[in-house]
């Protein structure tokens, strides 16, 4: 859900990818144990989520892997109550997300806010997960995947997939709505799949980049940041 702060107008903004940029893991897969505990997924699905999390942490996710995750998650969550998902995510933010936030990312988020910029989390994860994380991190708003709902439950179809060019399109829409000068805006991501997002702003940054993004950043002279420390005081 795109949720910019009501009535706020700023000339610049900073856009942050979430997984492996702000946090060290996949946000979607990180909640698999909680979803299992509350009966939303089976033990087999929880184990698959743990294995996928390990693979993601070791090497990230390319386009094919992202499409596979999208298909599996969409299929798994069909029939779930969107409100229930938000409740579970909110209840477990402290033990699930807070410990895996990069300390360097937290400082960077704070520095952009102190400079008067709006801060957005831009993630392929679902809005019911990204929304509470955005509140935890003090974000001005989010851009996230929206699942189609039927009577308050996921229908198994995607209404808006916040991935690739779609992220950049929504960023440009926000710039028009809020008067941002994108040439003066900032963006941060770890993945080459977010090149459209990074290319949309005047100040792109590669964070813990995958091989392809590292190559592009080197060729274009983009700053490359290394985040390693986890937050402890959140």
């Amino acid at each position: 859900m795109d949720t910019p702060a009501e009535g706020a107008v700023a000339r610049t903004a900073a856009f942050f990818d979430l997984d492996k940029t702000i946090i060290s893991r996949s946000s979607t897969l990180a909640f698999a144990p909680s979803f299992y505990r509350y009966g939303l997924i089976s033990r087999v699905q929880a184990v698959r989520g743990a294995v996928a999390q390990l693979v993601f942490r070791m090497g990230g996710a390319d386009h094919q892997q992202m499409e596979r995750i999208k298909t599996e998650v969409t299929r798994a969550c069909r029939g779930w109550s969107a409100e229930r998902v938000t409740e579970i995510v909110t209840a477990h933010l402290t033990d699930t997300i807070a410990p895996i936030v990069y300390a360097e990312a937290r400082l960077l988020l704070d520095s952009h806010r102190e400079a008067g910029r709006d801060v957005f989390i831009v993630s392929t994860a679902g809005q019911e997960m990204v929304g509470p994380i955005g509140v935890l991190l003090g974000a001005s708003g989010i851009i996230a995947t929206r699942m189609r709902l039927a009577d308050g439950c996921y229908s198994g179809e995607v209404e808006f997939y916040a991935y690739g060019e779609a992220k950049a399109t929504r960023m440009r829409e926000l710039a028009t709505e809020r008067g941002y000068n994108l040439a003066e805006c900032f963006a941060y991501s770890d993945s080459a799949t977010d090149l459209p997002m990074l290319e949309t702003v005047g100040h792109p940054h590669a964070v813990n980049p995958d091989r392809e993004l590292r190559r592009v950043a080197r060729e274009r002279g983009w700053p490359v940041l290394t985040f390693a420390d986890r937050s402890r005081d959140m």
Side-chain angles (χ1 to χ4, degrees), residues 206 211-222 224:
R211 183 178 302 177
E212 177 62 15
L213 180 56
R214 185 176 295 276
R215 180 189 65 79
V216 172
R218 184 171 58 248
E219 290 177 352
R220 301 185 186 183
W222 293 352
V224 175

Side-chain angles (χ1 to χ4, degrees), residues 14-35:
F15 300 90
F16 287 79
D17 174 50
L18 178 60
D19 299 349
K20 297 191 76 174
T21 301
I22 294 178
I23 62 176
S24 63
R25 305 179 186 177
S26 160
S27 52
T28 299
L29 298 177
F31 282 103
S34 296
F35 293 152

Side-chain angles (χ1 to χ4, degrees), residues 135-177:
V135 173
L136 175 72
L137 297 174
S140 308
I142 66 168
I143 297 173
T145 292
R146 295 192 303 270
M147 300 294 293
R148 194 176 303 280
L149 300 179
D151 297 324
C153 297
Y154 297 134
S155 69
E157 299 177 342
V158 177
E159 188 171 276
F160 171 73
Y161 188 37
Y163 175 76
E165 184 59 40
K167 286 185 176 182
T169 297
R170 183 57 188 141
M171 287 166 60
R172 288 190 290 269
E173 290 173 352
L174 278 172
T176 299
E177 294 168 9

